[in-house]
Amino acid sequence: KMNNPFDAHFSPNSIPHIKKFRLHIRTIDKQFLVLAYPNISLAELKETIESQHEKLYSNSIQVQRIRDAKNSDLDFDFVVNDIFSDGD
């Protein structure tokens, strides 16, 4: 993979009928949407973000950190549902 680090910042809203979180991902020059199941780890979410970016933009990136809506760095072992909730 090509090293192209960025931060992922979230403004999540749950989507109850499909039980996923809507996460708005922002890189230095791109912005896109990722849907994530609430029971996955942030490490799995990291892989999903990297895969989605490559699919959309035909180049690889490496997520170095994930931050919540308050700009706090998060541990990749955390679970999406434990970090994000409705209205965050």
Side-chain angles (χ1 to χ4, degrees):
K1 280 188 172 179
M2 182 176 134
N3 284 340
N4 186 6
F6 73 95
D7 296 331
H9 296 271
F10 303 112
S11 299
N13 296 309
S14 70
I15 305 172
H17 62 281
I18 58 174
K19 298 188 189 286
K20 290 186 179 181
F21 282 87
R22 179 187 300 250
L23 305 172
H24 297 275
I25 309 303
R26 184 179 35 163
T27 69
I28 292 170
D29 61 345
K30 306 279 190 245
Q31 186 169 325
F32 57 100
L33 179 70
V34 171
L35 298 179
Y37 289 105
N39 62 341
I40 66 168
S41 70
L42 295 187
E44 292 170 297
L45 177 60
K46 172 188 177 296
E47 292 174 9
T48 301
I49 293 167
E50 292 168 345
S51 174
Q52 185 70 28
H53 186 280
E54 187 168 4
K55 180 179 177 183
L56 290 170
Y57 305 113
S58 301
N59 65 338
S60 298
I61 59 167
Q62 182 180 355
V63 175
Q64 292 187 335
R65 64 182 158 249
I66 294 178
R67 294 179 173 170
D68 65 10
K70 296 178 181 173
N71 213 28
S72 300
D73 291 334
L74 302 172
D75 189 311
F76 286 120
D77 290 334
F78 291 163
V79 175
V80 169
N81 196 48
D82 291 340
I83 303 301
F84 305 110
S85 62
D86 289 342
D88 279 352

